[in-house]
Amino acid sequence: MPAESFSKDQLADYLRQMYEIRLFEEKVAELLKIGQIKGASHLYAGEEAVAVGAISVITENDVIASTHRGHGHCGAIGDKHAKTEAERQEHWNKMMAELMGKSTGYCKGRGGSMHIADVQKGNLGSTGIVGGNIPIGTGAALAEKIKGTDNVVLCFFGDGSTNTGSFHEALNMGATMLGGLPIVYICENNLYGMSVPFNAKCVENAGQASCVEHVVDRAAAYGMPSEIVDGMDVFAVREAVKKAVDRARKGCGPTLIEAKTYRWFGHSISDQRIYRTKEEEAAWKERCPIVVLRQKLAESNTLTEAEMDAIRDKAKITIEEATKFGIDSPFPHASELMDDVYVDPAPVTLASQIAAEKPLAAKIKRIEDDIRAYGREQSGGAVKSALPKLNKAGRTEFEAKHGMPILSYGQAIVEAQREEMKRDESVVILGEDVGLYGGAYAATRGLFDEFGPERVIDTAISEAAIAGAAAGAAMRGLRPIPEIMYIDFITIASDQVVHNMAYNRYMFGGKTKVPCVLRTEGGVGRSIAAHHSESLEAWLVHIPGLYVVMPSTPYDAKGLLKAAIRDDNPVIFIEHKVLYSGVMGPVPSEDYIIPLGVADVKKQGRDATVVAYSRQLHFAMDAALELEKEGVSVEVIDPRTLAPLDAETIANSVRKTGKLITVSEGYTRCGVGSEIVRQVMEYRFSDGTLGFDYLDAHPVVLAAKDVPMPMSEPLEDAAVPSRDDIIMAVRSIL
């Protein structure tokens, strides 16, 4: 594409952007050496033609997803959105301030070099995890397709990313989902994944990351068109990306572009670059993208050498002013540390929701108690009566008696999703087997037929891409419900769940929301061994930025799931595999929600407080009813939401009973029970006393044994607390 195809102003701006990025990076290198900028910084110098050329072809409505080497992408998209010289200077000021950790930075100093973002202007941010941004970009493209816009996503990543699972999962998803998503995957192949050459090596003892010479060789695996482009030539990049963007905008799906380029600095500032030779570096620097562009502008008589020098000098002033701005800016105050971890509910709204649910909850409790008593009577008090389940005749009888539908736990989950999908078109479901199959535990049964393949989306087995795509789609206006079939598999998606879903709001300065509900199931009871029977909620409770919900009854399951879908925080919604068909209860037909973070006193008592959730709640209730025969009055509390935990309700109960027992199917070591005890002991009442002051006996933590879950049924039963264990624990502290 000849320079003559562009206006003089366009060409001058391309050169100016490339100089701004180069001079910014050189200044950052200086500031890192003197400690003015702290932490890791991965410099983009040498690759400017890729960011400038690619971003030049998109509109202000389009979106980018960046990588840890993302200063160039942020620089170029910020320049695109700047309408005046003042806005352009402000953009570079915010970039430099962010790298210095200042409050005036794009992310208030919380993200720094590797996590810089401007979500409001289509920059979904960088990530410190190699390849971690690719599912985010894919999810953003999914959102644009579902919303029916003609917006396109540019997803940048390095050659090192192409050897990660996220790359392969996300590209496969981008190619297959809904006939292909509007995204252009741009690999900036700078030849080295940190110190390991991608393919060819110039140092004999260096490693090798790939047996294929070109990244685009992998595109055929996804049925995706691809192109190799000279990443040192801004016009070549622009032409290739424009063709791919036009294709994506027409609904023809994604393209993989490999830009052959080179980083001037090492992986990071401390990198000595011993894995490559001085001769190789010199050869690439002869093709410096700025030099290449200047030569073309001179040959076409578009700009004189003096004009190009003036552009360079103008860029230098911009970066110098940005540096001064960053140095002069204040650091964030320590009082801001906890801001923007969550989207906090308005206190008035929360109080109103709690008040609205109370009379309904009281009515439900009476019916649940009736069903529980009926079950115990029918079973003669056998231990298996712990789970309240009715046969068809019993169900009909109770519906007639109380004038309310009796649903299974699984049916309540389906109803919650159905109602919210009807109420809000931005709610979509995605995951393995959620569509035609209806979910491994029938928790999405019938929704595909009702809402179609664009709202209930079957995916490949790709846990990381499912979670990451949900986070990206949520940042672009959807309310996704990704399903991870078993909680055990969430370990595969942990990067996306933790580093993107949970952290993005905080690291991007509170300027984004990630409203998605990741549904999964866990627990024992089906003899399917350690890879399908875990209770990993403690892992998730540990992560700031996530809500963790574990309902025990059909009523709670529906009300909590509806509330989670409407919430602006990422919610991990954990269901127990045995409860789907093993528990039944009343579920109102009218619209209702149960506020998140509010515990429920399932049974009043005076002698001891038992806190239990999910399947163990039913064991605790049965234990309490057994203990009543001995004259022991147990208060049973279901926290329902583990994060945030309603420590106030539990502490008030302990203040009354003086005894605390927690029950969980998670492992004992570092488990949820220990965390509940900690929060209750540290809870400060209005009179200044602590929860600890009211304990008359040491707290008891009942939880799973610290062994991988065995398959054999007797061993599985022995691994987790039983009804009798709870009874014995209560007796032991009275």
Side-chain angles (χ1 to χ4, degrees):
M1 184 177 291
E4 292 85 349
S5 304
F6 304 92
S7 70
K8 182 175 180 178
D9 287 345
Q10 276 182 297
L11 296 171
D13 194 57
Y14 294 165
L15 182 62
R16 181 180 174 185
Q17 286 185 56
M18 291 168 68
Y19 266 123
E20 286 170 342
I21 295 168
R22 174 68 59 83
L23 294 167
F24 181 88
E25 298 294 64
E26 290 176 350
K27 178 59 69 174
V28 169
E30 292 176 21
L31 297 173
L32 281 163
K33 289 176 182 176
I34 64 173
Q36 186 70 55
I37 292 177
K38 308 285 186 182
S41 195
H42 306 86
L43 302 179
Y44 194 77
E47 303 178 44
E48 296 87 355
V50 183
V52 173
I55 290 172
S56 72
V57 304
I58 62 174
T59 72
E60 292 182 12
N61 294 323
D62 293 323
V63 180
I64 71 166
S66 186
T67 177
H68 63 281
R69 199 178 307 282
H71 304 165
H73 315 134
C74 187
I77 197 166
D79 279 347
K80 173 174 283 292
H81 281 269
K83 299 296 183 237
T84 65
E85 286 296 320
E87 288 179 358
R88 192 167 188 143
Q89 184 65 58
E90 181 185 22
H91 158 57
W92 289 101
N93 290 352
K94 287 181 176 180
M95 279 190 64
M96 188 64 81
E98 183 59 35
L99 267 66
M100 293 182 183
K102 300 299 184 72
S103 61
T104 53
Y106 266 124
C107 306
K108 303 179 184 177
R110 295 175 185 167
S113 171
M114 289 187 288
H115 311 111
I116 199 164
D118 188 8
V119 176
Q120 290 108 323
K121 293 181 180 175
N123 180 359
L124 297 187
S126 309
T127 173
I129 308 298
V130 172
N133 66 306
I134 311 178
I136 293 293
T138 302
L142 172 64
E144 299 308 323
K145 181 140 191 175
I146 289 175
K147 290 188 296 182
T149 73
D150 66 352
N151 298 340
V152 172
V153 178
L154 301 184
C155 183
F156 296 94
F157 48 90
D159 53 282
S161 299
T162 67
N163 299 308
T164 68
S166 290
F167 167 82
H168 295 284
E169 288 189 19
L171 263 70
N172 187 57
M173 181 177 281
T176 59
M177 189 174 280
L178 302 184
L181 302 180
I183 183 168
V184 182
Y185 297 105
I186 303 173
C187 176
E188 297 173 309
N189 187 347
N190 55 40
L191 309 186
Y192 296 93
M194 195 164 176
S195 68
V196 179
F198 180 74
N199 179 260
K201 51 188 177 181
C202 61
V203 174
E204 183 179 357
N205 293 325
Q208 185 182 42
S210 172
C211 286
V212 298
E213 183 179 356
H214 308 295
V215 169
V216 294
D217 293 343
R218 293 173 171 170
Y222 314 113
M224 186 183 300
S226 61
E227 183 174 349
I228 295 174
V229 64
D230 180 1
M232 311 305 270
D233 182 344
V234 69
F235 299 125
V237 172
R238 189 184 193 283
E239 184 174 12
V241 175
K242 185 178 188 308
K243 184 166 62 176
V245 165
D246 290 346
R247 182 175 180 276
R249 221 181 287 284
K250 291 174 184 175
C252 298
T255 304
L256 173 61
I257 291 175
E258 179 181 4
K260 301 283 191 180
T261 183
Y262 202 76
R263 64 187 191 215
W264 266 208
F265 294 89
H267 172 70
S268 60
I269 200 68
S270 59
D271 183 355
Q272 299 302 305
R273 310 196 301 280
I274 59 174
Y275 47 85
R276 66 192 200 190
T277 64
K278 299 295 184 185
E279 292 76 16
E280 180 188 270
E281 291 183 349
W284 275 96
K285 287 190 175 183
E286 287 179 5
R287 298 208 65 253
C288 168
I290 294 177
V291 171
V292 169
L293 178 56
R294 286 189 63 135
Q295 288 173 344
K296 291 191 175 188
L297 296 179
E299 290 167 2
S300 64
N301 295 317
T302 305
L303 292 170
T304 66
E305 291 294 331
E307 287 174 320
M308 290 187 282
D309 287 345
I311 289 170
R312 177 199 61 205
D313 294 343
K314 190 173 187 178
K316 186 175 182 181
I317 292 170
T318 298
I319 303 308
E320 286 175 349
E321 289 187 9
T323 304
K324 183 178 185 305
F325 175 85
I327 291 172
D328 292 344
S329 291
F331 284 104
H333 194 273
S335 63
E336 301 170 13
L337 176 65
M338 303 301 292
D339 292 352
D340 303 317
V341 178
Y342 299 95
V343 182
D344 295 320
V348 173
T349 301
L350 181 59
S352 174
Q353 290 172 344
I354 293 171
E357 196 251 342
K358 272 187 177 178
L360 182 59
K363 181 179 180 182
I364 293 295
K365 201 162 292 164
R366 289 192 295 271
I367 305 173
E368 288 178 342
D369 289 345
D370 198 7
I371 293 173
R372 196 177 301 279
Y374 174 84
R376 284 171 57 82
E377 182 183 345
Q378 294 294 109
S379 67
V383 172
K384 288 189 176 179
S385 68
L387 297 183
K389 185 175 180 180
L390 299 168
N391 59 25
K392 187 175 182 180
R395 188 172 183 171
T396 302
E397 177 186 334
F398 272 87
E399 286 183 337
K401 179 180 178 182
H402 295 286
M404 186 178 293
I406 304 297
L407 302 182
S408 70
Y409 186 95
Q411 288 171 325
I413 295 289
V414 173
E415 282 301 301
Q417 293 173 98
R418 174 178 287 114
E419 289 180 12
E420 291 306 300
M421 293 181 79
K422 284 182 176 179
R423 191 185 68 86
D424 185 349
E425 290 187 354
S426 70
V427 178
V428 298
I429 297 171
L430 65 153
E432 300 158 19
D433 306 319
V434 297
L436 282 170
Y437 191 73
Y441 288 92
T444 55
R445 180 170 292 173
L447 299 179
F448 181 87
D449 294 335
E450 187 169 353
F451 296 100
E454 289 201 353
R455 303 270 313 273
V456 184
I457 308 167
D458 278 321
T459 71
I461 298 173
S462 307
E463 281 80 12
I466 291 166
M475 292 171 70
R476 290 297 294 173
L478 295 189
R479 289 187 176 271
I481 309 174
E483 180 184 300
I484 301 296
M485 190 182 294
Y486 289 89
I487 197 171
D488 317 71
F489 305 164
I490 210 168
T491 57
I492 304 167
S494 59
D495 167 38
Q496 297 298 325
V497 171
V498 175
H499 299 124
N500 292 325
M501 196 178 287
Y503 289 177
N504 273 4
R505 173 173 171 77
Y506 184 82
M507 288 201 308
F508 297 163
K511 296 177 182 178
T512 190
K513 297 175 182 177
V514 191
C516 62
V517 181
L518 190 152
R519 285 186 46 255
T520 188
E521 65 76 34
V524 302
R526 289 192 59 227
S527 298
I528 45 180
H531 295 178
H532 290 71
S533 304
E534 293 172 291
S535 296
L536 300 179
E537 60 267 19
W539 286 25
L540 299 157
V541 169
H542 181 71
I543 304 301
L546 294 178
Y547 279 3
V548 181
V549 180
M550 291 190 72
S552 309
T553 69
Y555 167 74
D556 286 345
K558 182 177 179 181
L560 290 167
L561 183 51
K562 286 168 66 69
I565 294 168
R566 298 181 192 185
D567 200 89
D568 285 333
N569 292 289
V571 180
I572 310 298
F573 198 90
I574 306 172
E575 301 145 15
H576 197 291
K577 61 173 64 68
V578 170
L579 299 187
Y580 285 118
S581 59
V583 169
M584 293 180 179
V587 178
S589 299
E590 65 264 30
D591 183 39
Y592 74 97
I593 65 164
I594 297 173
L596 305 182
V598 180
D600 186 26
V601 180
K602 296 292 188 185
K603 181 182 177 299
Q604 296 284 343
R606 64 178 181 277
D607 296 326
T609 299
V610 174
V611 181
Y613 57 91
S614 194
R615 187 178 75 141
Q616 290 294 333
L617 179 277
H618 301 287
F619 292 172
M621 290 292 288
D622 209 45
L625 293 172
E626 284 294 306
L627 285 164
E628 275 188 351
K629 298 175 183 178
E630 304 172 14
V632 176
S633 175
V634 175
E635 185 146 295
V636 180
I637 297 177
D638 184 352
R640 302 193 291 194
T641 302
L642 302 181
L645 181 72
D646 182 1
E648 179 182 7
T649 294
I650 303 170
N652 279 323
S653 177
V654 171
R655 191 178 196 179
K656 175 175 59 174
T657 67
K659 315 289 192 306
L660 175 60
I661 298 168
T662 66
V663 193
S664 166
E665 278 188 23
Y667 298 125
T668 304
R669 188 167 55 221
C670 303
V672 169
S674 300
E675 174 60 16
I676 291 172
V677 170
R678 180 192 70 82
Q679 290 197 37
V680 169
M681 291 174 69
E682 294 179 0
Y683 182 81
R684 186 174 294 278
F685 294 95
S686 58
D687 62 3
T689 58
L690 299 175
F692 173 81
D693 297 328
Y694 296 96
L695 284 168
D696 298 332
H698 67 86
V700 176
V701 175
L702 291 179
K705 305 297 190 297
D706 292 320
V707 297
M709 283 299 150
M711 173 269 172
S712 178
E713 187 173 20
L715 292 178
E716 184 184 55
D717 288 344
V720 298
S722 66
R723 182 193 73 168
D724 289 345
D725 291 333
I726 299 169
I727 291 171
M728 290 171 62
V730 173
R731 288 173 179 162
S732 73
I733 62 170
L734 289 179

